Amino acid sequence: MDAELRDPAGATAERQSAQDLVELWLSLAEDRLREAADSPSDQARWREAIQAVTPPEESATEPSFVTFLSGARVLLHCLLDAERPGPPVGAIADRVRKLIKDGEYPAGAWLPVGRIAAESGCLTASVERVHLALRDLEAEGLVTFSPSSGRARVVGEARKPDRPAQIAGWLRVLIRAGVYPPYSELPTSQPLARGLVAKVQDVSAALHGLAAEEILNYRRGRRPLVKPWLPIDVAPPPEIADLAQEMRGLVTGEVDLSSANVRMTCHRARVWWHSRLTPAPDQLEDTFRTLVGAALDLFEFFLETRDSCQDADTVTLLRRTGVTALAKMPDDAQERVWRTACLAVAVLEVQVAATALARRREFIRRAWTATDATAGPALCPPDAPVNEIDGRGIS
């Protein structure tokens, strides 16, 4: 504005040069407007951008040069975004609309913009297309936006799952599979809740439900006991070697089992469940496969040790981990996330047990060397490797 007051002729020349340059963009912008015929939100964006730089009629007041340049920048941004790879706004809206109707995004589910953009083949810089697609779906009554956060979610109330029933169902699977055979004890509510990534009150309600089914003897504050005679069919306790053999068939291709990647994978699985996020199916599958690979690697370590080095709780933990890895995944998307989180917690627990066992064996080895024992068999022979879990995702 100061430049226009000091040198009106120069400012006019600069404005004319800018207008001449923008004129070259307008024809391309008009083409983009016609191509956006299947997206009202995208069309409105193009109309607004074109109108902001279109010379006004003679009777209209001409906008300031600053306002014109601001509109030119917006138009250029739209044109550059349209040149990036990826489907148009209408195609993204069609895809999300189908996922909503197919139940992939159920009622009340939040719609992650970044994930939708990635799965649609858009660059991160092109998430604006997803926002426009969601605005189209909002006009159709399929999507609503939060007034406070601006996040989009599917219209309707989210279905609240019966968590005690889900937990009881999974405990029933573990009992059937022999993880907790007849007349064995389950952990108390708090450690059991940690292993099931659940609230203590939900676990307690599930235990009461199983007690009502005559599957458990349960009193608050005491370890639940599996009854010796059950109303359901149960398998004998599985052998650790058999579980490891079955898991080998699930681990295909290259799997990064470095300590850092295993920890990150376990953390990601738990965050998904705690935040009630629904990751892409292939991402969840890759995460689960990595966890199965980590579990298998830990199983191999335990299979290399002597049976006398393993207590009953460790064997039960290994059985729970193996059965969790091998059990059929549920159809519900959120239950699949929960099952993955349960496996992640089990892998972390087995890591702790394996590390403790390795340290105990090293202590025995050092004691053997220091005393130069000559009589009787050793719990761990002195020629055993010093650290048998290096490179197995254990720190």
Side-chain angles (χ1 to χ4, degrees), residues 72-378:
R73 283 195 294 269
V74 171
L75 180 62
L76 180 60
H77 171 77
C78 293
L79 290 171
L80 290 175
D81 179 67
E83 294 299 323
R84 294 190 180 104
V89 175
I92 298 175
D94 291 340
R95 184 178 184 279
V96 177
R97 187 184 299 108
K98 183 178 184 302
L99 291 174
I100 292 175
K101 292 182 178 179
D102 291 345
E104 189 69 27
Y105 293 125
W110 294 103
L111 297 170
V113 174
R115 169 187 161 184
I116 294 173
E119 293 179 353
S120 300
C122 293
L123 300 178
T124 305
S126 299
V127 294
E128 186 175 359
R129 299 185 199 177
V130 179
H131 285 291
L132 292 170
L134 295 178
R135 288 297 179 184
D136 287 339
L137 297 178
E138 180 189 29
E140 299 175 15
L142 294 176
V143 169
T144 184
F145 284 84
S146 169
S148 57
S149 65
R151 295 174 61 192
R153 65 176 179 84
V154 181
V155 169
E157 292 296 326
R159 179 178 62 87
K160 294 183 179 180
D162 186 348
R163 288 293 294 141
Q166 289 179 339
I167 295 168
W170 179 237
L171 289 176
R172 203 177 293 112
V173 170
L174 296 178
I175 293 171
R176 284 179 179 273
V179 175
Y180 302 112
Y183 218 70
S184 65
E185 291 183 325
L186 278 69
T188 55
S189 296
Q190 287 193 348
L192 191 59
R194 286 194 297 269
L196 296 174
V197 204
K199 296 179 180 179
V200 174
Q201 55 266 35
D202 290 337
V203 172
S204 180
L207 294 175
H208 279 295
L210 293 176
E213 297 176 19
E214 298 295 325
I215 294 177
L216 297 178
N217 282 327
Y218 175 57
R219 293 181 182 177
R220 189 180 299 275
R222 300 183 63 179
R223 295 185 66 170
L225 178 71
V226 181
K227 289 193 172 186
W229 295 279
L230 297 173
I232 58 176
D233 295 331
V234 296
E239 296 293 333
I240 305 303
D242 294 338
L243 292 173
Q245 182 62 35
E246 290 188 60
M247 283 192 290
R248 290 187 188 101
L250 298 180
V251 183
T252 58
E254 294 292 331
V255 179
D256 183 3
L257 297 180
S258 64
S259 177
N261 187 62
V262 171
R263 285 197 301 268
M264 181 180 66
T265 302
C266 292
H267 175 73
R268 179 170 60 244
R270 289 180 296 167
V271 167
W272 283 342
W273 173 242
H274 286 308
S275 304
R276 296 303 188 267
L277 298 176
T278 305
D282 57 343
Q283 188 179 15
L284 183 64
E285 183 179 345
D286 289 343
T287 298
F288 194 86
R289 187 166 63 92
T290 299
L291 293 174
V292 173
L296 175 59
D297 212 40
L298 291 164
F299 272 50
E300 300 288 2
F301 165 70
F302 278 100
L303 290 173
E304 293 171 3
T305 63
R306 295 175 181 268
D307 293 339
S308 58
C309 296
Q310 301 177 21
D311 56 26
D313 287 340
T314 300
V315 173
T316 300
L317 171 60
L318 292 173
R319 287 172 178 161
R320 172 164 65 88
T321 304
V323 170
T324 305
L326 295 170
K328 180 182 177 182
M329 290 291 273
D331 296 330
D332 182 75
Q334 276 296 300
E335 282 201 57
R336 290 197 295 270
V337 176
W338 175 48
R339 185 75 59 80
T340 305
C342 289
L343 180 58
V345 171
V347 168
L348 292 175
E349 291 180 6
V350 177
Q351 280 186 338
V352 172
T355 302
L357 176 58
R359 289 173 179 171
R360 184 162 64 249
R361 296 185 69 198
E362 185 174 355
F363 175 80
I364 294 173
R365 183 183 306 108
R366 289 178 178 178
W368 174 283
T369 304
T371 58
D372 194 24
T374 57

